Amino acid sequence: MGALTKLLEKIGRSVGKVVGVLYQSGRDSIDQVIKNVLPFMAFISLVIGIILKTGIGDLLANALKPLAGNPVGLIVMSLIIGLPVLSPLLGPGAVIAQIIGTLLGVQIGTKAIPASIALPALFAINPQVGCDFIPVGLALGEAEPETVEIGVPAVLFSRLVTGPVSVIIAWVASIGMYPQ
């Protein structure tokens, strides 16, 4: 009888530990959502609302539309979109990427611009991707304030450099991909 009691006691303690870990994980998850995710969602909703209501997204997209027809214009476009001041504002809702992507798709479909522009254009309209999430990602990782202070600008400036480079690589990769 003593062996059965010890076995049941071991099982009970093991189950108790597992339940305790799962319970604490749930508490930590809820805490992270309340402290980091919900404020970020509210901020992004505000930014998207401002961009859509003021028409800044449409204005920028229409201003950048003439650059979309050639590789040099796409490189310039990726530089503009990747600017560290603009990219965190353009990331939420991907307003620029949606509008210019749609315009490019129509132009490629009507053969007004060559299909070989499609791959470089994809990279040209998306250097802002992730720039709006950098502070939240660092907060979720519980980064030190100094890390956030250095990490956010570092990522933003890296996107400014990697955006045009990715356009060039995509343009080279698309050579011969679409027969004329």
Side-chain angles (χ1 to χ4, degrees), residues 23-101:
Y23 179 72
Q24 186 59 40
S25 297
R27 289 178 59 178
D28 291 346
S29 297
I30 297 296
D31 189 49
Q32 284 286 358
V33 167
I34 290 171
K35 285 184 178 178
N36 297 316
V37 176
L38 290 178
F40 175 70
M41 291 172 66
F43 169 72
I44 294 304
S45 297
L46 173 72
V47 171
I48 290 173
I50 290 170
I51 288 171
L52 293 176
K53 191 66 177 173
T54 61
I56 291 172
D58 293 333
L59 183 70
L60 284 171
N62 289 326
L64 294 173
K65 185 170 63 171
L67 299 173
N70 61 67
V72 174
L74 292 174
I75 291 170
V76 171
M77 182 188 307
S78 72
L79 281 168
I80 293 169
I81 294 172
L83 287 172
V85 175
L86 282 180
S87 55
L89 299 175
L90 299 177
V95 176
I96 298 293
Q98 289 179 27
I99 295 169
I100 294 179

Side-chain angles (χ1 to χ4, degrees), residues 117-130:
I117 293 292
L119 186 60
L122 175 67
F123 287 94
I125 63 177
N126 283 315
Q128 84 286 354
V129 171

Side-chain angles (χ1 to χ4, degrees), residues 5-18:
T5 305
K6 284 185 180 183
L7 176 66
L8 290 175
E9 186 180 317
K10 254 187 180 177
I11 291 172
R13 284 186 185 166
S14 299
V15 169
K17 285 181 183 179
V18 170

Side-chain angles (χ1 to χ4, degrees), residues 124-178:
I125 63 177
N126 283 315
Q128 84 286 354
V129 171
C131 290
D132 55 334
F133 188 73
I134 301 303
V136 173
L138 290 171
L140 287 173
E142 297 178 357
E144 298 292 326
E146 296 83 21
T147 305
V148 175
E149 191 176 301
I150 294 169
V152 171
V155 170
L156 294 177
F157 279 107
S158 73
R159 296 298 289 172
L160 179 64
V161 173
T162 59
V165 170
S166 64
V167 171
I168 293 168
I169 292 170
W171 179 66
V172 169
S174 69
I175 294 175
M177 188 182 291
Y178 304 98

